[in-house]
Amino acid sequence: MIKLNNIHKSYEMGNNSLHVLKGIDLTIEQGDFVSIMGSSGSGKSTLLNILGMLDNYDKGTYHLAGNLIANMSEKKAAQYRNDMVGFVFQSFNLISFKNAMENVALPLYYKGVPRKKRNQIALEYLEKLGLKEWASHMPNEMSGGQKQRVAIARALISQPKIILADEPTGALDTATSYEVMDILKEINEAGITVIIVTHEHDIAAMTRQIIRLKDGQIHEIIRNGELKQFQKEYVKELETV
């Protein structure tokens, strides 16, 4: 599904160049449930942006579903994103002057789906997320957990192959964070690849694979069988705080 080979990314900062990703090699299969961890500046958000075709890379190759993602026009990249990827963000990124139904329906507007049809489909997705009765409410009338559910419904409505979530629980309390992770787990169990960026050990431990970045490189990959040890180390870390 996703194959990265020797991916490099730098940003120009005045007269200096900041080398953020330094040779990333990574394969993520269809149906994987992956978290990306790392300290601030490790490159995790940059990596997620490249995966979501929100940013270009400087060197290497990125294949998505067998297609080379490189030097795409913005129009072609936008079309491919709309077909393949759904995004969930820490800050929800809901449009403040549109209600929940209209926010969820937005991706279908860009696909040319008529208003009545896209609103009907949006209501179906809100119902799946337990929010149908909130369809006419504006974002400022909803809790953080409700707004994130709306954002997840919006990400799902175009039936993507991949969900990319950047700190999806970062603005939520613990109980609501776990509810959101349960939703993402259900989405993954339906066959959709889910990739999240998180700095929270307990959230990462709910995924089936943890990719830890350090200084722009993959420091380690923790897979299913090693997650229990990862959780034990996290508990031990908490006990020393």
Side-chain angles (χ1 to χ4, degrees), residues 136-184:
S136 61
H137 286 251
M138 308 301 280
N140 64 1
E141 298 173 319
M142 293 182 279
S143 69
Q146 288 169 328
K147 284 188 275 193
Q148 197 59 292
R149 286 179 184 227
V150 172
I152 291 170
R154 180 185 59 192
L156 288 172
I157 197 167
S158 57
Q159 298 182 319
K161 300 290 188 294
I162 304 166
I163 293 289
L164 298 179
D166 194 358
E167 299 280 5
T169 62
L172 307 174
D173 61 51
T174 301
T176 308
S177 294
Y178 289 0
E179 288 173 7
V180 167
M181 286 303 293
D182 284 341
I183 292 168
L184 292 175

Side-chain angles (χ1 to χ4, degrees), residues 33-212:
F33 191 12
V34 177
S35 53
I36 301 172
M37 298 192 76
S39 59
S40 179
S42 62
K44 54 188 186 297
S45 290
T46 298
L47 176 58
L48 200 75
N49 287 340
I50 288 173
L51 292 176
M53 294 165 283
L54 295 173
D55 204 352
N56 295 312
Y57 53 92
D58 302 327
K59 179 183 174 184
T61 57
Y62 169 25
H63 286 87
L64 175 59
N67 297 304
L68 178 64
I69 308 300
N71 303 318
M72 283 185 171
S73 67
E74 180 51 39
K75 183 177 180 181
K76 187 175 180 182
Q79 182 180 19
Y80 211 60
R81 277 196 302 269
N82 215 15
D83 289 341
M84 292 291 295
V85 183
F87 293 92
V88 179
F89 300 95
Q90 176 180 348
S91 56
F92 319 122
N93 284 18
L94 301 180
I95 297 174
S96 61
F97 56 86
K98 290 186 178 292
N99 63 32
M101 178 185 68
E102 291 166 336
N103 266 286
V104 173
L106 196 59
L108 298 185
Y109 166 81
Y110 292 113
K111 286 192 169 187
V113 178
R115 179 193 294 269
K116 185 176 180 181
K117 179 66 174 175
R118 66 177 183 260
N119 286 347
Q120 178 188 342
I121 297 171
L123 283 174
E124 292 170 4
Y125 276 86
L126 283 171
E127 186 170 19
K128 288 179 184 179
L129 273 295
L131 285 176
K132 188 175 182 181
E133 66 274 20
W134 288 83
S136 61
H137 286 251
M138 308 301 280
N140 64 1
E141 298 173 319
M142 293 182 279
S143 69
Q146 288 169 328
K147 284 188 275 193
Q148 197 59 292
R149 286 179 184 227
V150 172
I152 291 170
R154 180 185 59 192
L156 288 172
I157 197 167
S158 57
Q159 298 182 319
K161 300 290 188 294
I162 304 166
I163 293 289
L164 298 179
D166 194 358
E167 299 280 5
T169 62
L172 307 174
D173 61 51
T174 301
T176 308
S177 294
Y178 289 0
E179 288 173 7
V180 167
M181 286 303 293
D182 284 341
I183 292 168
L184 292 175
K185 184 178 179 183
E186 288 175 16
I187 291 167
N188 174 250
E189 288 171 350
I192 297 174
T193 304
V194 177
I195 304 170
I196 70 169
V197 160
T198 184
H199 66 276
E200 299 168 284
H201 287 71
D202 53 339
I203 296 299
M206 295 179 194
T207 65
R208 293 203 301 272
Q209 182 171 300
I210 302 170
I211 298 162
R212 299 183 81 165

Side-chain angles (χ1 to χ4, degrees), residues 8-44:
H8 287 257
K9 177 65 180 179
S10 296
Y11 293 103
E12 299 303 319
M13 310 284 287
N15 294 325
N16 300 315
S17 179
L18 181 63
H19 198 176
V20 180
L21 297 180
K22 304 171 184 176
I24 299 290
D25 293 312
L26 181 63
T27 299
I28 296 174
E29 304 292 350
Q30 176 68 40
D32 276 354
F33 191 12
V34 177
S35 53
I36 301 172
M37 298 192 76
S39 59
S40 179
S42 62
K44 54 188 186 297

